[in-house]
Amino acid sequence: MTKTEVDLDPSALADRFPTGFGWGFAASAYQIEGAAAEDGRGRSIWDTFARVPGAIADGQTGDVACDHYHRFREDIALMAGLGARAYRFSVSWPRVQPDGTGAANERGLDFYDRLVDALLAAGIRPLVNLFHWDLPQALQDQGGFADSRVVGWFAEYAELVASRLHDRVSDWMTLNEPAVYAFLGHADGIHAPGLRDWPTALRVVDNQLQAHAAAGAAIRSLVKDARIGVAFDVNQVAPATDTDRDRQAAARWSSARDAWYLDPLFGRGYPRLGLEAHRAAGHLDGLELTDPPPGDLDYLGLNYYRRDSVSALSDRAFDWTIGARPGTEQTQMGWEVAPDGLRDVLLALHAEYAPREIVITENGAAFPDTVDPDGRVRDDRRVAYLARHIAAVGEALAAGVPVSGYHVWSLLDNFEWSLGYSRRFGLVHVDFETQRRTGKDSAAWYARLIAASR
Ligand code: FCB
């Protein structure tokens, strides 16, 4: 599919989706809420990490972010105005348990109570994500996700949130992009908590899989009709060139990362190729993996952004580079735009694991948007990106993949982790000086798509 081939007319696209398809938005607590020291919120590892000199490109933090904590009604009104049917947000663990364990901070839970009520009043279905990386610092001080006690801590936290929201929320997600959290935070050191140790990262994965199961059980015991999932970032992994070496490297990387979670969750244990690759690279040294429990998934959440091309530097495992091929169409993140990859990833997940349902829990693009003098934000490239990716979802649906929803990342421009405020993913522009929100052309386009949907 090329850029010119895609039909940007949203009503033609809308026809390819079933009645009631879950069009929505996704966001996360630390990236938008701000109010970092309000109503008893404790510190998270991102509060700490953002203060490490050089950790964040523009030296900023999420202290204020989009001030969504105070402006959530305005933000919900914006979503409602666009016709959104669903909203995926995350709960900040340190708002609920400032020190990570023990009794709930009721004022923290009150915020999510108000948020859920306002969403429901606006006709928007909430999808609650329990963990989008902002672990209470107090738990990190005790080992964080690398300590197996996190399984109990996480289940206790899940129970507190579910006890409060169980009567109004059926859609739950335990973890967002656990591989990014484990690998970028514990092996690459570019996300909180900023560690660089592979065995620690793989211990984190082991504990995440156990924690998912424990939290899922806690939610099920409290929420009748709960629909529970996890969101994975499965981008398209491809060999950079058609050589044995690159093909082998791509297969090993995909197994050591994506199948490293998906195989256990679908009851197969850790994948052989991934085990070989991690072992050969010394990542399993001194580590005893558990036998991870199968995941109890009502749906698989898929976050998809790009094609990752793998280039082998030698025959050794993990001696490779991963990224966009030079000269390809890329977003401001340097991510290769590959809508056909989304279709192919959906087809592959369906063929390989056959999850009961797949929800696109994130998809979107960063571009350096500006507000024109006439007040418009002409983000044509984002419109094209969305149209092509949504068309790809339509193709997967037509081929029989049970996709039930699509959440754009994101409603608002926000704090993009180690890149600070330098990357704008929103369909709504945010002026971070004034907190003024301005709908971009892509927001109007998405609204037309939803309006044209059954
Ligand atoms: C994903 C994250 C999300 C956001 C987008 C751009 O990896 O889940 O928080 O940063 O990328």
Side-chain angles (χ1 to χ4, degrees):
M1 211 184 318
T2 65
K3 198 171 180 176
T4 43
E5 277 171 67
V6 71
D7 187 350
L8 297 185
D9 173 9
S11 45
L13 260 186
D15 283 349
R16 306 192 208 164
F17 290 82
T19 309
F21 189 78
W23 299 110
F25 289 94
S28 93
Y30 189 71
Q31 295 178 275
I32 63 168
E33 283 181 1
E38 253 167 272
D39 293 338
R41 177 185 178 276
R43 281 174 71 87
S44 84
I45 58 173
W46 271 94
D47 296 302
T48 307
F49 188 71
R51 285 173 172 75
V52 174
I56 311 296
D58 58 6
Q60 303 278 343
T61 70
D63 282 3
V64 177
C66 306
D67 195 32
H68 173 76
Y69 192 77
H70 300 113
R71 296 169 196 261
F72 70 95
R73 290 187 198 283
E74 179 190 342
D75 295 337
I76 291 174
L78 277 170
M79 277 192 281
L82 300 174
R85 298 174 179 175
Y87 177 49
R88 185 210 126 177
F89 64 91
S90 81
V91 173
S92 153
W93 188 343
R95 272 195 207 288
V96 175
Q97 290 176 297
D99 294 323
T101 58
N105 167 34
E106 298 299 330
R107 286 179 300 164
L109 281 174
D110 289 347
F111 171 67
Y112 299 103
D113 230 14
R114 294 193 292 273
L115 184 67
V116 164
D117 284 345
L119 285 166
L120 292 172
I124 300 172
R125 189 176 167 108
L127 192 173
V128 175
N129 167 23
L130 289 173
F131 190 69
H132 205 121
W133 312 346
D134 47 354
L135 185 77
Q137 180 62 44
L139 294 183
Q140 188 60 42
D141 296 342
Q142 299 170 64
F145 260 92
D147 190 297
S148 59
R149 284 175 299 169
V150 75
V151 179
W153 298 333
F154 192 56
E156 180 185 73
Y157 157 63
E159 195 178 324
L160 291 175
V161 179
S163 305
R164 182 62 90 89
L165 303 178
H166 68 101
D167 52 340
R168 285 154 292 156
V169 176
S170 325
D171 296 348
W172 296 80
M173 218 173 96
T174 53
L175 304 167
N176 173 70
E177 298 192 356
V180 171
Y181 184 75
F183 292 17
L184 266 51
H186 302 77
D188 301 334
I190 60 168
H191 274 193
L195 306 179
R196 292 176 195 270
D197 182 61
W198 268 105
T200 301
L202 296 184
R203 186 173 298 117
V204 166
V205 180
D206 216 49
N207 291 331
Q208 286 171 324
L209 291 165
Q210 306 278 353
H212 162 74
I219 297 167
R220 279 207 205 287
S221 71
L222 289 158
V223 186
K224 160 165 87 45
D225 305 331
R227 283 164 34 84
I228 301 176
V230 186
F232 285 105
D233 52 316
V234 185
N235 289 297
Q236 187 178 41
V237 176
T241 65
D242 197 20
T243 56
D244 278 350
R245 249 193 181 182
D246 283 355
R247 268 199 302 272
Q248 162 89 333
R252 283 165 151 183
W253 171 238
S254 149
S255 181
R257 186 187 191 282
D258 300 334
W260 195 254
Y261 285 91
L262 292 165
D263 275 18
L265 276 170
F266 286 90
R268 306 177 187 176
Y270 288 116
R272 186 188 51 81
L273 197 57
L275 275 168
E276 282 169 18
H278 281 305
R279 191 171 293 121
H283 298 169
L284 295 171
D285 293 356
L287 185 64
E288 281 224 20
L289 295 172
T290 65
D291 194 8
D296 180 10
L297 295 181
D298 297 298
Y299 69 91
L300 181 68
L302 172 65
N303 295 357
Y304 178 91
Y305 288 95
R306 59 177 190 261
R307 175 178 298 127
D308 281 336
S309 296
V310 186
S311 223
L313 300 172
S314 74
D315 288 332
R316 282 184 293 121
F318 284 85
D319 192 22
W320 50 56
T321 59
I322 304 162
R325 285 169 307 157
T328 51
E329 183 190 352
Q330 297 168 17
T331 68
Q332 196 194 359
M333 297 292 280
W335 292 350
E336 182 179 337
V337 177
D340 51 339
L342 173 53
R343 179 201 56 216
D344 293 349
V345 164
L346 284 167
L347 293 172
L349 289 171
H350 180 57
E352 184 67 27
Y353 302 106
R356 263 173 258 167
E357 247 178 61
I358 300 181
V359 177
I360 309 293
T361 33
E362 287 182 26
N363 176 237
F367 293 108
D369 309 305
T370 48
V371 184
D372 289 342
D374 66 355
R376 252 177 80 186
V377 181
R378 294 173 166 79
D379 58 338
D380 306 352
R381 297 182 64 192
R382 184 173 292 100
V383 171
Y385 180 98
L386 296 176
R388 293 158 74 196
H389 284 78
I390 290 170
V393 177
E395 287 176 29
L397 268 167
V401 183
V403 186
S404 59
Y406 174 93
H407 300 251
V408 178
W409 184 272
S410 188
L411 177 71
L412 305 171
D413 293 335
N414 60 51
F415 179 79
E416 179 48 34
W417 307 113
S418 55
L419 295 167
Y421 296 95
S422 67
R423 297 294 185 278
R424 296 182 176 273
F425 273 92
L427 269 55
V428 172
H429 181 277
V430 177
D431 177 332
F432 292 105
E433 297 295 316
T434 61
Q435 291 296 342
R436 188 188 158 94
R437 276 92 160 119
T438 306
K440 304 178 189 176
D441 283 1
S442 56
W445 180 88
Y446 193 47
R448 278 168 52 216
L449 171 77
I450 303 173
S453 296
R454 287 164 282 175

